[in-house]
Amino acid sequence: MANVNVDWENLGFGYQPITKRYVANYKDGKWGKGELTEDATVVLNECAGILQYCQEVFEGLKAYKTKDGRVVTFRPDMNAKRMIDSAKRLEMPPVSEEMFMEAVDQVVAANKDWIPPYETGGALYLRPYLFATGPVIGVKPSDEYQFRLFGTPVGSYFKNGVKPITICVSDYDRAAPHGTGNIKAGLNYAMSLYPYILAHENGYDENMYLDAATRTYVEETGGANFLFVTKDNKIVTPKSDSILPSITRRSLVTLAEKLGYTVEHRPVKFTELKDFAEAGLCGTAAVICPVGKVVNHGEEICFPSGMEKMGPVLTKLYDELRGIQIGTIEAPEGWIREIK
Ligand SMILES: *Cc1c(COP(=O)(O)O)cnc(C)c1O
C-alpha cells in the first residue's frame, strides 16, 4: 500500500479519502462485529434517524509519527469515554471503549502510509462517529445505528507560523443551560454555522460564546475551549455545564500543575478578560491557538501577549503537550498509545 500520492508540504485541513475505514452496525439490540472496508460511501434509508431528527455524535483525534519513527495516538481512551457520554445523551447505544480502541488501532495500522511525515508537523486526523440508520418518523430513538471511523491526513495547523487570532463575541448562543453543549454532537455545529459565517464576513476568525442564561460568563468558541493566563501566571479555564470537556484542555491543565502552575477551573466573567495577560483556544486541531484580541461590539480587549506570537506561559504548555505527542518529552502514564 506504499506510495500514496499526497503533497505533504501543502496539506491543509480538508477531507481526503484514504484506503481503509472501520464500520460496525447496531441491530436487534446489539453491536455486530466491526471490520475494515474500502467503501467510503454510506447508503441510507430515506427516513433514517440521522436524516430526520439528527441523532449523531462524533469524536476527533489524531495519529502522529514521532521523531523516532513510531506511530502513536494521544489518549484515545478519553475520546472513547466522551463518545459514550455523548451517545447516552442522545439515546444512542454507546460503542464500548474496547470497540472504539479497536477501530482506532485498526484504521491507523491499515493506513500508515497516509500519516504525514514527522517533519511536516501534520497528522492523520481520525473521525469516529455514530449515527442513526434505522427509519423513524414518529419522534423516538432509532432501532439501528452505524459506527464508522475514517482518517484523513491533515497539515500542521501552524504551517504559516503561529499567528494570534482575533475573535468576536457572538450575539448568538452556542448552548443552552441543561442543553447539549457538553456533548460532541453534530447538531451543536449545524446551528453554529450561521454565526460562524457572520463572524468571518465581519473579519473575525472565530466567535466567543457567552453563557446563554445571563450573557456575562465566557463559555467557549464553536469548537475549542479557552485557556487564560493571569498577570501573576495563574492558568484560568472557564467552568460551565454547557462547555464541551476538551481533552486537550484537561491534558494541558494536568501538565500545567505538574510544571508548578496554579490552575483555576471556575466561572470566568467576560469583564475579567481585560485583566488577563494571555489567551488561547485549545483543541485537537491546534493544541493551543493564541488569541490576541477579543472584540465585543466595538469594545476591544487586547491581550498584552500581542498579535505577533503566543504568550510565554501558553508557549511553555504548548511545547510540553506537543513534545509528548511527537515523542520528544516523556508522557504521563497511559497518555500515548503506540500502534505497531
Ligand atoms: C471537540 C471540541 C473541543 C475540543 O476538544 P478536544 O478533545 O480538545 O479536541 C472543544 N469544544 C467543542 C465544542 C468541541 O466540539
Side-chain angles (χ1 to χ4, degrees), residues 150-213:
F150 66 79
T152 192
V154 297
S156 164
Y157 193 88
F158 296 120
K159 228 180 8 265
N160 304 315
V162 180
K163 261 286 189 207
I165 59 168
T166 300
I167 62 180
C168 63
V169 174
S170 180
D171 291 334
Y172 293 86
D173 296 323
R174 189 190 84 90
H178 319 296
T180 55
N182 62 336
I183 63 163
K184 211 167 174 73
L187 55 89
N188 289 328
Y189 279 78
M191 55 100 212
S192 76
L193 295 176
Y194 184 83
Y196 184 70
I197 295 297
L198 196 60
H200 277 208
E201 282 172 357
N202 291 328
Y204 301 106
D205 298 297
E206 263 296 347
N207 279 307
M208 168 181 276
Y209 291 103
L210 303 179
D211 78 290

Side-chain angles (χ1 to χ4, degrees), residues 229-250:
V229 182
T230 64
K231 285 178 179 145
D232 57 355
N233 285 351
K234 275 192 211 127
I235 316 283
V236 180
T237 67
K239 181 174 182 177
S240 153
D241 290 341
S242 45
I243 290 177
L244 192 281
S246 157
I247 295 164
T248 313
R249 186 252 303 161
R250 286 179 281 164

Side-chain angles (χ1 to χ4, degrees), residues 8 14 23 30 61 96 108-109 112 124 126 205 214 236 254 263 272 277 281 290 309 334-335:
W8 299 117
V23 187
K30 60 180 189 301
L61 69 160
S96 70
V108 175
K112 276 193 177 152
L124 184 66
L126 302 171
D205 298 297
T214 72
V236 180
T254 303
V263 180
E272 277 184 68
L281 294 176
K309 55 185 192 319
W335 280 24

Side-chain angles (χ1 to χ4, degrees), residues 157-158 162-169 204-208 218 220-221 224-229 270 273 276-282 288-295 301-311 314:
Y157 193 88
F158 296 120
V162 180
K163 261 286 189 207
I165 59 168
T166 300
I167 62 180
C168 63
V169 174
Y204 301 106
D205 298 297
E206 263 296 347
N207 279 307
M208 168 181 276
V218 175
E220 60 173 320
T221 65
N225 285 183
F226 281 108
L227 208 56
F228 300 106
V229 182
F270 180 75
L273 287 191
F276 292 133
E278 299 176 40
L281 294 176
C282 49
I288 298 177
C289 174
V291 175
K293 196 196 287 189
V294 178
V295 180
I301 296 150
C302 299
F303 298 103
S305 52
M307 296 303 294
E308 295 303 320
K309 55 185 192 319
M310 194 182 307
L314 291 184

Side-chain angles (χ1 to χ4, degrees), residues 7-156:
D7 179 5
W8 299 117
E9 298 307 324
N10 293 304
L11 203 53
F13 191 84
Y15 171 68
Q16 144 106 57
I18 64 170
T19 318
K20 305 242 175 142
R21 67 276 298 132
Y22 184 94
V23 187
N25 289 296
Y26 180 92
K27 207 180 163 166
D28 302 326
K30 60 180 189 301
W31 280 104
K33 195 174 155 28
E35 60 177 16
L36 292 177
T37 171
E38 293 197 1
D39 191 353
T41 58
V42 178
V43 178
L44 289 172
N45 181 277
E46 63 187 348
C47 205
I50 173 59
L51 301 178
Q52 304 309 326
Y53 303 124
C54 215
Q55 255 190 312
E56 186 260 4
V57 296
F58 70 98
E59 274 301 325
L61 69 160
K62 286 173 172 173
Y64 307 86
K65 278 195 179 136
T66 62
K67 194 172 184 185
D68 59 358
R70 291 173 300 131
V71 171
V72 300
T73 48
F74 179 74
R75 308 188 79 180
D77 55 312
M78 299 288 279
N79 296 94
K81 291 187 178 86
R82 190 168 65 188
M83 201 164 97
I84 291 172
D85 293 340
S86 298
K88 285 180 179 164
R89 178 65 176 80
L90 295 192
E91 285 294 338
M92 305 168 82
V95 169
S96 70
E97 191 172 327
E98 294 70 41
M99 186 188 265
F100 187 99
M101 301 290 264
E102 174 186 282
V104 171
D105 290 353
Q106 287 191 10
V107 169
V108 175
N111 296 287
K112 276 193 177 152
D113 288 356
W114 290 100
I115 308 175
Y118 163 79
E119 294 74 18
T120 66
L124 184 66
Y125 181 77
L126 302 171
R127 171 52 58 88
Y129 60 119
L130 167 59
F131 55 99
T133 52
V136 279
I137 193 75
V139 176
K140 66 176 173 61
S142 173
D143 292 330
E144 295 174 10
Y145 296 85
Q146 185 165 102
F147 168 59
R148 290 180 84 92
L149 190 153
F150 66 79
T152 192
V154 297
S156 164

